Amino acid sequence: MGKFVDKVRGAPVALTFRDLILLPGLSEVEPGEIDVRTRVSTSHELNIPLVSSPMDTVTEAEMAIALARQGGLGVLHRNCTIEEEVEMARRVKRAESFIIRDVITIRPDQTVGEAIEIMQHHDISGLPVVDEGGRLVGIVTARDVRFTDPRLRVSDVMTAEVITVGEGITLEEAKRILQKHRIEKLPVVDEKGGLKGLITVKDIMLRGRFPNAVRDEEGRLLCAAAVSPFDLKRAVKLDKWVDVLVIDVAHFHNRNCMEATKKLLKHVGADVVVGNIGTYKAAEDAITQLDGIAGFRVGIGSGSICITMELLKAGSPTLFATAQVADAVSDYGADLPIIADGGIRSPGDVALALALGASCAMMGNVFAGCREAPGELVTIGGRYFKRYRGMASPSARERRHAIDRYHSKGIAEGVEGLVPYRGDVASVVAEFVAGLRAAMGYAGARNITELREKARIAMLTEAGAREAAPHSIYLPSQEPFRSP
Ligand code: XMP
């Protein structure tokens, strides 16, 4: 046979989520006991293996906050100015912490009107008052300024006798002091009275409300952000705020992207996850040529809003890509977590991706339907939807900030539309985690490492895939969103 025929005959089968199932195995644990903790990058652990896509209809600060509180991670999109993306990251980091470091303050000579405006703008209930040298001179709360002449100076209404603490304070001590003095805010100062941080009752209570949240060493929620490999300025600015930077291009296995990333890696301290890649060779080249990467984002063309595979006949379906990259990681003994990205629709899809070597699943479509995704609810025929668009769709490309995600000039590689409204992130996560635990229970795995080792996989025929979905029954509630 000729070489072209051989090329066809020897072609690997690029399997997708619809082609495979997990075979049931002996289970020695009940689903409630199954541990779904994982890693998203070399140095960051998550309590659930779910990550939201960096897309402008999926992840802004509200989504990132909600998901981190549930134990997952949001990746902020980059289809905006550097300042806007940094502001999103700051909002996530300010959402809660034991000691707030990025404290919003006011000077004593500013007016009460300004104090009210700052509190309203940042949705906070009090401001430490600091002099020009950064020394704490008082505190002003919403209660102090209510019904007060807005032209007065802050120094006229603030409390000058402030109870403060030093840097070494523990959570328990802080709770005791707040309770004893019946105060809401406790400034942290150095020996010279310089303001170093702020402890609030609200933040301490949030810790109790979200016990599964993932936090950094200062008690702030974990946060990730997407960057272009060619936008070093953005990466450096975000690096001050986020734990993980995600290189966000459609085809990372590209000489220019890899060279630019090599340079970027020298300038940032956050973990850098690179992608998207889809083959063993891409992972091999990244492992051997890029020192200091912290993980892979994997899958090209499987996204629900994606038309790359259909239009350009190029891509690597997420499940196939995950297995390829996982083999390369294992062959090279590299300690690099894999995020499976695109086409993930159900807890079973997540379980399959984990069984084939992923550490996390990234979802755009599923999270786009949540209350915390950007955009308003849309009602059609009494049913609720939210808008969802590919980052290479015509309208997303118009915003231009993320246009270099795709090499193709002038070709839209994505579509836009509506997804059914799913409620809030907490309930979607609860449903996915319960489903994932059930799937792992069927496979007989008590944690994700065991799932990788133990899971046996079977391939469905096309007829089998049809049988796996509800059939021979009319399901009015699912129309018109039945997957084919
Ligand atoms: P799901 O299936 O969760 O996939 O909607 C989300 C992932 O799809 C990728 N993405 C795109 N791929 N054209 C593409 O080819 C696009 O316009 C596009 N926008 C997003 C991305 O990897 C995302 O996480």
Side-chain angles (χ1 to χ4, degrees):
M1 280 301 157
K3 67 176 181 184
F4 291 111
V5 170
D6 283 349
K7 215 181 241 201
V8 176
R9 285 215 175 135
V13 185
L15 293 163
T16 74
F17 291 108
R18 314 288 165 258
D19 296 312
L20 300 182
I21 47 164
L22 287 169
L23 286 174
L26 173 67
S27 177
E28 285 166 326
V29 282
E30 292 309 312
E33 301 162 325
I34 291 172
D35 182 355
V36 294
R37 283 176 303 171
T38 189
R39 276 190 316 162
V40 66
S41 62
T42 324
S43 44
H44 294 292
E45 292 183 2
L46 300 183
N47 288 327
I48 58 166
L50 304 179
V51 178
S52 66
S53 297
M55 298 170 74
D56 60 9
T57 48
V58 180
T59 313
E60 293 194 338
E62 206 182 336
M63 172 63 65
I65 291 168
L67 199 47
R69 281 179 173 159
Q70 297 304 319
L73 187 70
V75 186
L76 300 168
H77 74 83
R78 64 181 181 94
N79 200 14
C80 56
T81 62
I82 297 177
E83 291 68 36
E84 284 165 339
E85 193 174 0
V86 168
E87 186 47 35
M88 291 193 264
R90 285 180 64 173
R91 264 193 67 197
V92 179
K93 286 297 180 187
R94 258 206 314 264
E96 52 184 89
S97 61
F98 169 40
I99 300 179
I100 304 167
R101 295 293 174 184
D102 180 28
V103 188
I104 296 159
T105 59
I106 194 159
R107 282 193 325 276
D109 57 343
Q110 285 183 268
T111 64
V112 164
E114 285 174 288
I116 295 174
E117 209 180 292
I118 296 173
M119 286 189 229
Q120 280 173 351
H121 178 74
H122 294 282
D123 193 22
I124 52 180
S125 61
L127 301 167
V129 186
V130 293
D131 65 15
E132 303 258 316
R135 242 173 30 92
L136 182 78
V137 294
I139 195 160
V140 61
T141 66
R143 218 181 299 160
D144 300 327
V145 296
R146 205 178 296 148
F147 312 125
T148 308
D149 183 346
R151 288 165 304 182
L152 285 176
R153 302 274 149 212
V154 165
S155 52
D156 298 329
V157 297
M158 70 184 192
T159 305
E161 294 289 304
V162 188
I163 293 159
T164 60
V165 289
E167 282 283 5
I169 183 93
T170 64
L171 179 62
E172 288 315 310
E173 270 177 276
K175 273 189 197 166
R176 203 180 45 72
I177 297 172
L178 286 162
Q179 199 164 23
K180 180 171 165 214
H181 298 281
R182 298 188 188 287
I183 49 175
E184 298 280 317
K185 295 188 189 326
L186 194 52
V188 179
V189 293
D190 61 19
E191 317 80 59
K192 294 186 183 130
L195 182 71
K196 291 291 154 200
L198 184 70
I199 298 170
T200 75
V201 169
K202 188 174 127 207
D203 285 303
I204 291 180
M205 279 167 51
L206 283 172
R207 288 179 81 83
R209 244 183 84 198
F210 300 107
N212 217 27
V214 281
R215 299 191 166 93
D216 63 18
E217 61 288 347
E218 293 200 5
R220 303 174 303 174
L221 296 171
L222 283 195
C223 181
V227 290
S228 157
F230 306 109
D231 196 348
L232 188 57
K233 195 169 155 204
R234 185 179 291 252
V236 168
K237 290 216 160 149
L238 283 163
D239 187 42
K240 289 204 188 78
W241 297 101
V242 301
D243 307 282
V244 183
L245 288 167
V246 178
I247 300 289
D248 177 48
V249 287
H251 179 39
F252 179 77
H253 195 201
N254 162 292
R255 182 62 59 209
N256 287 334
C257 286
M258 300 213 343
E259 289 305 320
T261 301
K262 208 179 266 181
K263 190 166 154 210
L264 187 146
L265 282 162
K266 296 201 179 95
H267 290 86
V268 298
D271 272 7
V272 176
V273 170
V274 301
N276 283 34
I277 59 167
T279 61
Y280 185 100
K281 181 76 176 109
E284 184 175 48
D285 285 351
I287 293 167
T288 53
Q289 294 169 31
L290 295 176
D291 228 8
I293 54 174
F296 289 118
R297 180 177 167 204
V298 163
I300 298 173
S302 289
S304 61
I305 31 47
C306 176
I307 49 175
T308 308
M309 277 203 274
E310 189 181 65
L311 187 71
L312 308 180
K313 289 290 171 206
S316 180
T318 301
L319 205 53
F320 172 76
T322 300
Q324 290 252 324
V325 172
D327 275 346
V329 166
S330 153
D331 289 352
Y332 280 86
D335 178 30
L336 294 171
I338 294 169
I339 303 174
D341 169 30
I344 295 166
R345 205 64 64 250
S346 68
D349 291 346
V350 178
L352 271 175
L354 299 176
L356 288 181
S359 292
C360 292
M362 177 178 271
M363 301 190 289
N365 186 302
V366 167
F367 288 124
C370 292
R371 181 174 57 76
E372 294 88 341
E376 301 302 312
L377 271 183
V378 179
T379 330
I380 300 173
R383 290 171 64 193
Y384 293 107
F385 300 90
K386 287 197 79 159
R387 293 192 195 287
Y388 180 44
R389 66 182 184 192
M391 293 312 294
S393 65
S395 68
R397 289 165 63 95
E398 268 171 30
R399 270 174 86 180
R400 303 208 68 79
H401 293 287
I403 206 155
D404 63 351
R405 197 182 132 77
Y406 300 86
H407 305 305
S408 50
K409 300 272 178 285
I411 298 177
E413 286 182 47
V415 296
E416 49 199 293
L418 298 166
V419 291
Y421 180 58
R422 291 173 176 266
D424 58 17
V425 165
S427 50
V428 170
V429 163
E431 186 190 315
F432 264 76
V433 170
L436 173 62
R437 286 202 168 108
M440 289 169 72
Y442 274 108
R446 66 182 73 228
N447 55 44
I448 292 173
T449 312
E450 259 191 38
L451 179 66
R452 259 182 231 149
E453 283 156 12
K454 283 190 169 180
R456 290 178 311 129
I457 304 281
M459 212 186 314
L460 291 170
T461 60
E462 221 181 304
R466 272 200 304 278
E467 189 176 284
H471 49 88
S472 321
I473 180 165
Y474 174 56
L475 293 170
S477 62
Q478 287 190 354
E479 299 297 340
F481 282 99
R482 282 280 306 280
S483 36

